[in-house]
Amino acid sequence: RRTLMAASQIKTEGETRTLLAVGDVQLECMMYRNAYASGPSSSEEPLAVVVLHPYSWLGGCMYDHVVQHLYASFASSGQYNTVIAYNSRGVGRSSGRATMFGAQKEVGDLKGLCQMLMSNLVHPPKKVLLVGYSHGSCVACGASTEPYVAGICAISPPIGSFASSALRLKDLWRVFCQATTRKFVALGTSDTFCSEKTLRKQMDGVEAAVKIYERGDHFWSRSGLLESLQADVLEWCLAINA
């Protein structure tokens, strides 16, 4: 059972599972803290990593296997002040109602969560890395121009013409393309929601690291690919802050 907890009550070392009040909702989360980690370099400001899950209306949640692998890899690295994965509004024990189209409320919740992490935790992070998978990557895109965002990883973004139009995600991807923060995009060649050709077209003129995984699908089910993704995302995040 999760109980609502003030951010100042969250322990500074190890994992806490709780509900956090963010704006008009309570968000169920798992948070791993290494509060006195200074980042990959001792001169760096303390960093948080926020991992975002797939589309809630299709069962997406923080217990998704890709989200869990990414969360675990960041938490076990020992390099980050705070690592958090959370259920967006209307998912699991999180309150509120999920947005079906556009994800504007989810973007607002993400911004509020980041502000809460940076202002209310004991020895808080100063910057945030956003790591979004599938629909969660588009939610992260919507916050990518915020000044506290140190970088953004968009994994399997559903930006093919059908998916992005049906879910009304084009505006969020446009924000991502215009953002000046560092960017990493990962896509499998067998992704059903965006082709490599479409991604290349969408990324034309956008400064970003792009990694294409041969025969990788949207769900990273092919043996060994999820582990490769984990390693590449972690390496990129460590490199940009080294």
Side-chain angles (χ1 to χ4, degrees):
R1 180 177 175 81
R2 307 283 185 266
T3 57
L4 183 63
M5 183 181 291
S8 60
Q9 295 177 291
I10 294 171
K11 56 190 178 183
T12 58
E13 301 292 330
E15 188 174 79
T16 301
R17 299 195 178 209
T18 187
L19 294 170
L20 293 175
V22 177
D24 64 346
V25 293
Q26 295 178 8
L27 299 178
E28 180 183 17
C29 71
M30 58 181 71
M31 184 187 306
Y32 188 90
R33 299 215 65 209
N34 184 12
Y36 298 98
S38 58
S41 166
S42 60
S43 63
E44 293 296 328
E45 293 182 314
L47 278 170
V49 179
V50 181
V51 186
L52 296 98
H53 66 69
Y55 191 45
S56 56
W57 287 95
L58 293 178
C61 71
M62 67 182 182
Y63 296 108
D64 174 273
H65 72 292
V66 176
V67 172
Q68 285 291 298
H69 273 77
L70 293 167
Y71 169 84
S73 64
F74 282 109
S76 63
S77 73
Q79 300 288 345
Y80 297 98
N81 172 285
T82 305
V83 181
I84 184 170
Y86 69 98
N87 277 332
S88 62
R89 58 171 55 225
V91 178
R93 290 180 54 79
S94 293
S95 64
R97 179 173 172 81
T99 305
M100 186 169 286
F101 305 114
Q104 292 300 327
K105 288 186 177 180
E106 284 77 3
V107 172
D109 294 342
L110 171 60
K111 292 178 181 179
L113 176 64
C114 291
Q115 293 283 5
M116 186 279 297
L117 294 176
M118 293 186 297
S119 60
N120 292 354
L121 291 177
V122 175
H123 198 79
K126 301 300 184 185
K127 295 278 188 177
V128 180
L129 287 167
L130 301 177
V131 180
Y133 165 49
S134 189
H135 185 266
S137 69
C138 291
V139 176
C141 287
S144 57
T145 56
E146 295 298 310
Y148 50 78
V149 175
I152 176 171
C153 297
I155 299 165
S156 303
I159 56 170
S161 58
F162 175 76
S164 61
S165 296
L167 299 180
R168 302 175 193 169
L169 301 174
K170 292 182 178 180
D171 287 346
L172 300 181
W173 186 254
R174 192 173 297 116
V175 173
F176 170 79
C177 291
Q178 294 170 350
T180 57
T181 192
R182 307 241 185 128
K183 309 179 188 78
F184 176 87
V185 183
L187 185 77
T189 57
S190 298
D191 196 298
T192 49
F193 298 102
C194 180
S195 67
E196 180 183 355
K197 180 180 179 180
T198 296
L199 178 66
R200 298 288 189 191
K201 181 178 180 181
Q202 295 276 10
M203 296 298 295
D204 185 39
V206 178
E207 186 175 349
V210 178
K211 177 77 173 181
I212 303 298
Y213 295 80
E214 193 66 31
R215 294 196 288 174
D217 62 19
H218 190 75
F219 306 102
W220 299 89
S221 58
R222 188 173 180 81
S223 178
L225 279 187
L226 182 52
E227 290 73 20
S228 295
L229 173 70
Q230 266 183 284
D232 292 339
V233 170
L234 189 60
E235 180 182 12
W236 182 83
C237 289
L238 291 172
I240 68 168
N241 294 288

